[in-house]
Amino acid sequence: MPGDIEKAARLIFTSKYVTCLTGAGISVESGVRPFRGPGGLWTELGEPPMDGYQKFLANPKSHWEKTMKGAGSDWKFLKAADEAIPNPAHYALANLEEMGIMKYLITQNIDNLHLTAGSIKVAEIHGNIKKVRCIKCNARYDRDDISMDKIPPSCPKCNGIIKSDIVMFGEPIPLDVLKICQRETRKSDCMLTVGTSALVYPAADFPLEVRSNGGILIEVNLYETELTPLCDISLRGKAGEILPELVEYIKRLR
Ligand code: APR
């Protein structure tokens, strides 16, 4: 609706603690497929089984052998995510953080694009493709800093088994990052959701909690979602076009 972007800019500008939840949709304009909706990976393959982590624990060596060979139905998705570059939507959110308007960004994406775009206060609830993590002590390392001569690789700190930092289906969200997401959600009086179908928990809970605490919800999505009816404003369109315009409106209010 015309004027909605300006209204959203005012709501964001007058809120005290603005946070953002992003999903796969924000990276579509960087060439990374979404999971659901048109062009979605799960739309094509069907939702994956929920026991990926249990299968990994049963045989970490064979999981690593498959990963090293580039086997697996999500291999092309992971390659695109690994090689993608930020689009104007990622830079717009980094800009809002730099302006002191946005306090924290929770992303469900594993593509590292928010960090590459310059966002600093970022919680990656589903992990990061460029990192690996020890399943025993939770230490994280840059993927390239861990030797793959022996698989599964072991943790330099505690000798535990190392896996990708990407949270697998059936794997608990690492407590350290979950606590940050819950803390930031509790502090929010306004949450901007960008490019998420808001169907996967616990991330989908965060905007609901902001809402139930009387906070403002603003959505940026190509289509209607489960969240749309609960949003104060739902901006329909591409994140890469809407977010830069939203930032311009906010700049004019300063
Ligand atoms: N701009 C804005 N929104 C977009 C764009 C775009 N250019 N392209 C797609 N979208 C929207 C779609 O309409 C959809 O609502 O982005 C959303 C993407 O939804 P999903 O593919 O379900 O992604 P997400 O919400 O991040 O999924 C959550 O599910 O499979 C797991 O771990 C995976 O982190 C992922 C989680």
Side-chain angles (χ1 to χ4, degrees), residues 173-199:
I173 305 285
L175 263 185
D176 56 349
V177 72
L178 183 60
K179 283 205 176 90
I180 293 170
C181 296
Q182 290 167 336
R183 179 195 72 206
E184 292 306 313
T185 298
R186 261 195 310 277
K187 291 160 76 174
S188 306
D189 63 345
C190 174
M191 182 174 271
L192 177 62
T193 69
V194 183
T196 182
S197 57
L199 292 171

Side-chain angles (χ1 to χ4, degrees), residues 23-25 28-29 34-36 42 108-109 126 169 195-198 200 220-223 225 237-239:
V28 165
E29 291 154 85
F35 297 99
R36 299 169 188 85
W42 307 146
Q108 300 170 86
N109 302 338
H126 293 157
F169 284 95
T196 182
S197 57
V200 173
V220 176
N221 200 303
L222 262 183
Y223 305 103
T225 69
K238 291 184 176 180

Side-chain angles (χ1 to χ4, degrees), residues 22-30 32-38 40-43 47-48 50 77 87 89 107-110 125-126 166-167 169 194-201 203 219-225 235-242:
T22 65
I26 198 170
S27 298
V28 165
E29 291 154 85
S30 295
V32 185
R33 288 178 77 168
F35 297 99
R36 299 169 188 85
L41 187 63
W42 307 146
T43 314
E47 292 278 336
M50 284 297 146
F77 162 80
N87 68 61
T107 187
Q108 300 170 86
N109 302 338
I110 51 94
I125 191 167
H126 293 157
I166 298 173
V167 176
F169 284 95
V194 183
T196 182
S197 57
L199 292 171
V200 173
Y201 291 82
E219 177 182 52
V220 176
N221 200 303
L222 262 183
Y223 305 103
E224 265 203 32
T225 69
L235 300 171
R236 194 68 60 250
K238 291 184 176 180
E241 291 165 11
I242 289 177

Side-chain angles (χ1 to χ4, degrees), residues 129-164:
I129 193 167
K130 313 276 186 193
K131 292 183 186 153
V132 291
R133 173 166 38 88
C134 173
I135 61 171
K136 196 168 156 200
C137 71
N138 205 46
R140 291 179 181 84
Y141 304 93
D142 285 350
R143 186 179 58 192
D144 302 336
D145 292 348
I146 295 290
S147 149
M148 293 294 158
D149 296 345
K150 178 180 83 59
I151 51 169
S154 31
C155 175
K157 282 201 189 111
C158 76
N159 209 28
I161 292 175
I162 290 263
K163 68 175 286 287
S164 162

